[in-house]
Amino acid sequence: MKRKIASLLKDTLDGLSTKGEFRGPTEVDLTRPRQDGHGDFASNVALAAAKAMGVAPRALAERIRAAIPPSRLIERVEVAGPGFLNFFVSAGAWRDIVPEILGQGDTFGYLPANGKRVLLEFVSANPNGPLHVGHGRGAAYGDSLARLMTSAGYTVEREYYVNDAGRQMDILALSVWARYMEACGQPVAFPANGYRGDYVHDIARHLKEAAGDSLIRPDDAPVTGDDIEAITDARIAHLKAALGPLYGTLHGTGLKAMLADIREDLEEFGVRYDRWYSERSLVESGAIKRALALLAAHGDLYEKDGAHWFRATRYGDEKDRVVVRENAVPTYFASDIAYHLEKYERGYDHLINIWGADHHGYIPRVKGAVTAMGRDPARLEILLVQFAILYRGGQRAQMSTRSGDFVTLRELRKEVGNDAARFFYVLRKSEQHMDFDLDLAKSRSNENPVFYVQYAHARIVSVFRQMRERGQTMAEPGASDLGLLTAGEELALLRALNQYTQVIEEAAETREPHQLAYYLRELASLLHAYYNAQAFLSAEDPLRQARLTLLLAVRQVLANGLMVLGVSAPEAM
RNA sequence: GCGCCCGUAGCUCAAUGGAUAGAGCAACGGCCUUCUAAGCCGUUGGUUGCAGGUUCGAUUCCUGUCGGGCGCGCCA
């Protein structure tokens, strides 16, 4: 609808321009006014152009108004305020959306494919513990964005980058080994910075069942000083030497167990990945060497203090960054450079990374490396999801994977259900710090707005259930006379239905799923008001048919919108 | 200290550079012999942290300042 009005206005302005009666912006800016009396759409062209033309805004607006040709779309156009043009759309034009929705069904709201391939990488949490509620926000946001962009015409692939190569995984292995030794009746000192969660015990038990006592070794690593990190590194090195090839079994057991847990958790949450991309595979394929060679060829690598450095300051970063350590082991950053190069080589039109806000300082170096390798950094979009600050019993709750003191995503899902959790997460825009009240989120109360939207859907289904119970029937939707829909609530609903496609498009382009969540709440609100104000089944026949047809369209849009957010549309509550 | 994000009603949050800044929850008053009351209708609630600037017009853009979060590893 907006597009139709905009083109009508644009044609008018073009006409005036050729007659020399208008000079101004060629792009037509059309907005939806907040206030009822200001029409359905408003344009500020007269305000914007008046100064340059040296005329009064209202007078110019009046001239434009007079030049707008009559159209069945428009009931009237008013000049208001300082010089706004307010368009009032005719009821008939609004009603056209109903057959369109019913004709397209589940695919209503899908924009034509735009041929663009997008890679969306999100969550990518280290597999050294279960996902917690902080990861849940990234998961809900990323998956909703993927669905949203799919609906907006993109071809989207979801990817999870598995950090299976680093020191953190060695620390998990060491932690599992310590618990394993305990389980074998040979307790050893638990690493000071090890992972203390219960899941480590579980993995250790499974390891004992599978490997018996074959991994028992004396805990006699030479330990000196009081540097916790150094002690841990020494123990890891010692354990690797003591276990030999069996270290791979230990490491692999921890990794596999955590990955399986994360994968199952996400799938139950409605998030399915197209690819789980292993960091280790980059080491093994030589991709890291290749990426570093590219940087070197570009003159952006140098040696200092026995390490290899990327000249990140050349690309706007605060300092240069190490890519190969003194001990010849590449850093995580080196893997990431190779990973991004590989993403570019796969030929996507656009790359999106969703990161936790704590990684924002990492952006300049990654973009810098990409630029240095001759790739266009503009094609890499990094979206940050702010932390959720957790409150439990009115107190801030600490979240630490190390200590094992955290609320898992699985626990939250079990308490509130997937629907409530997903909706709750995407109701806040991602860059907003979010206060997550666990007691509120876990209480299955009507304070959770997802029920409000789902109830609207269930209510409509229920009307049709009642209809059948009363022995009434509904004719083909196309046969009803929608012209009978003249009540205020009906026009409000029709207007809202006309907005849906626009909401999808804007939410996708701005990467803001919360826009859709708010829209659905608004649509649900209009439905509830309609429900309370008008009778459907007891209305006279032609009117009843028209109203039921409208309800079908509303139900369809609610269902489609909820689907994009990964939330179910229940038939009954 | 430097950098990034945020600051809007009692609480949690919206608001595409536009007109009188909106919802939900909380509080208060109404609405179930008729399609689900997880609902509806109404009332109360604001110096958009503060001070400047740009603009016909600023919650939105710019500068400064205060407050909160995060980052500034040869961790990932």
Side-chain angles (χ1 to χ4, degrees):
Chain A
M1 182 62 69
K2 182 176 175 179
R3 203 165 295 158
K4 293 179 193 164
I5 305 288
S7 88
L8 187 69
L9 177 58
K10 185 167 171 25
D11 291 347
T12 305
L13 294 177
D14 288 347
L16 286 172
S17 292
T18 54
K19 285 192 282 177
E21 291 172 21
F22 179 81
R23 285 197 319 277
T26 47
E27 278 301 303
V28 169
D29 182 45
L30 206 59
T31 61
R32 270 183 286 112
R34 286 199 263 252
Q35 208 164 330
D36 280 350
H38 295 152
D40 298 304
F41 295 98
S43 173
N44 62 358
V45 278
L47 286 163
K51 199 176 187 186
M53 292 178 62
V55 297
R58 280 198 67 109
L60 177 59
E62 191 54 51
R63 281 218 299 273
I64 297 169
R65 191 188 74 82
I68 295 171
S71 158
R72 76 171 281 276
L73 292 178
I74 293 173
E75 189 181 293
R76 66 181 193 282
V77 182
E78 289 180 355
V79 173
F84 288 102
L85 282 164
N86 292 339
F87 293 80
F88 293 79
V89 176
S90 72
W94 288 131
R95 292 184 192 113
D96 292 345
I97 197 71
V98 172
E100 196 178 323
I101 292 167
L102 297 178
Q104 296 178 31
D106 292 342
T107 62
F108 175 75
Y110 275 79
L111 279 62
N114 59 20
K116 293 200 173 124
R117 287 177 65 221
V118 176
L119 181 68
L120 184 57
E121 182 219 322
F122 61 110
V123 183
S124 298
N126 286 344
N128 48 27
L131 298 178
H132 53 64
V133 293
H135 298 127
R137 187 176 188 184
Y141 175 66
D143 188 61
S144 294
L145 183 58
R147 292 169 187 243
L148 199 48
M149 292 184 75
T150 300
S151 186
Y154 294 89
T155 301
V156 182
E157 288 178 31
R158 295 167 177 78
E159 187 158 302
Y160 189 115
Y161 182 50
V162 182
N163 300 129
D164 52 7
R167 177 172 178 266
Q168 299 302 326
M169 289 308 299
D170 286 323
I171 295 177
L172 176 68
L174 180 63
S175 304
V176 169
W177 182 73
R179 295 305 188 205
Y180 163 86
M181 291 292 282
E182 278 173 29
C184 293
Q186 310 215 13
V188 300
F190 194 78
N193 52 2
Y195 295 103
R196 295 181 179 278
D198 293 340
Y199 61 93
V200 180
H201 288 279
D202 296 338
I203 298 170
R205 262 196 303 279
H206 286 117
L207 181 62
K208 182 162 178 277
E209 281 169 25
D213 56 6
S214 65
L215 272 66
I216 293 178
R217 294 292 183 280
D219 183 29
D220 56 356
V223 165
T224 52
D226 53 4
D227 182 344
I228 291 171
E229 303 295 334
I231 292 170
T232 296
D233 285 338
R235 291 185 66 186
I236 290 170
H238 188 73
L239 186 61
K240 278 182 180 172
L243 286 175
L246 282 177
Y247 182 80
T249 305
L250 171 66
H251 187 281
T253 301
L255 173 65
K256 266 184 231 153
M258 285 330 311
L259 269 186
D261 177 80
I262 288 170
R263 188 177 188 135
E264 178 192 87
D265 201 7
L266 288 171
E267 284 192 5
E268 285 174 8
F269 199 38
V271 184
R272 284 194 112 81
Y273 284 90
D274 296 291
R275 199 172 299 100
W276 294 72
Y277 199 100
S278 157
E279 178 188 356
R280 214 157 33 166
S281 73
L282 291 166
V283 183
E284 289 162 1
S285 71
I288 293 178
K289 280 204 172 76
R290 200 156 54 80
L292 294 184
L294 266 179
L295 294 180
H298 203 253
D300 286 320
L301 282 192
Y302 64 90
E303 275 191 66
K304 193 182 80 176
D305 303 332
H308 294 260
W309 298 69
F310 167 58
R311 214 180 288 279
T313 48
R314 186 178 276 176
Y315 303 94
D317 198 2
E318 292 171 353
K319 50 183 82 168
D320 291 344
R321 308 291 176 177
V322 171
V323 287
V324 181
R325 299 184 184 92
E326 208 175 344
N327 63 6
V329 178
T331 60
Y332 170 81
F333 179 43
S335 303
D336 226 8
I337 294 171
Y339 180 41
H340 281 89
L341 174 63
E342 206 279 338
K343 281 183 177 180
Y344 273 92
E345 287 174 343
R346 278 190 261 158
Y348 298 99
D349 296 290
H350 198 65
L351 304 172
I352 298 180
N353 295 352
I354 297 176
W355 288 351
D358 54 334
H359 285 68
H360 64 77
Y362 199 73
I363 297 174
R365 81 188 71 165
V366 170
K367 290 227 172 198
V370 160
T371 309
M373 292 187 293
R375 303 289 170 164
D376 178 11
R379 272 167 56 197
L380 173 64
E381 179 179 3
I382 298 174
L383 301 171
L384 298 177
V385 177
Q386 288 292 333
F387 280 0
I389 301 165
L390 295 173
Y391 289 87
R392 186 160 28 191
Q395 296 288 312
R396 266 192 83 153
Q398 290 303 313
M399 293 290 292
S400 161
T401 308
R402 280 273 149 80
S403 65
D405 172 30
F406 54 87
V407 182
T408 63
L409 174 60
R410 186 173 272 113
E411 187 182 323
L412 176 73
R413 292 195 295 103
K414 199 174 165 191
E415 292 267 355
V416 291
N418 290 319
D419 288 343
R422 285 197 67 142
F423 201 84
F424 196 91
Y425 277 127
V426 298
L427 203 54
R428 275 93 177 127
K429 70 173 169 192
S430 60
E431 67 261 37
Q432 176 69 254
H433 297 273
M434 166 178 173
D435 283 351
F436 199 115
D437 185 331
L438 288 167
D439 302 309
L440 179 64
K442 297 205 291 193
S443 72
R444 221 188 163 85
S445 73
N446 61 358
E447 289 180 31
N448 201 319
V450 72
F451 300 123
Y452 186 80
V453 179
Q454 290 184 316
Y455 182 41
H457 182 272
R459 258 189 158 170
I460 295 174
V461 175
S462 167
V463 169
F464 285 89
R465 202 158 38 229
Q466 271 301 314
M467 180 190 79
R468 287 190 296 276
E469 281 172 22
R470 289 185 183 194
Q472 295 178 336
T473 54
M474 190 183 166
E476 280 300 304
S480 54
D481 178 8
L482 299 178
L484 298 171
L485 300 174
T486 55
E489 296 86 3
E490 288 158 350
L491 294 174
L493 276 169
L494 288 166
R495 264 193 285 269
L497 294 177
N498 274 276
Q499 272 175 255
Y500 182 71
T501 308
Q502 183 79 25
V503 170
I504 290 286
E505 188 174 5
E506 279 182 13
E509 291 314 316
T510 56
R511 322 291 191 234
E512 292 181 341
H514 77 276
Q515 304 264 13
L516 178 58
Y518 274 87
Y519 167 83
L520 290 174
R521 217 165 58 165
E522 173 67 18
L523 183 59
S525 170
L526 294 172
L527 184 277
H528 288 309
Y530 185 33
Y531 186 95
N532 278 277
Q534 308 290 346
F536 310 138
L537 295 176
S538 45
E540 291 297 314
D541 190 62
L543 181 57
R544 186 175 75 221
Q545 295 296 334
R547 288 183 169 170
L548 291 175
T549 305
L550 174 61
L551 288 184
L552 280 182
V554 174
R555 191 210 64 79
Q556 186 70 63
V557 171
L558 286 171
N560 292 7
L562 286 170
M563 169 66 78
V564 172
L565 296 181
V567 176
S568 70
E571 310 255 300
M573 297 193 68

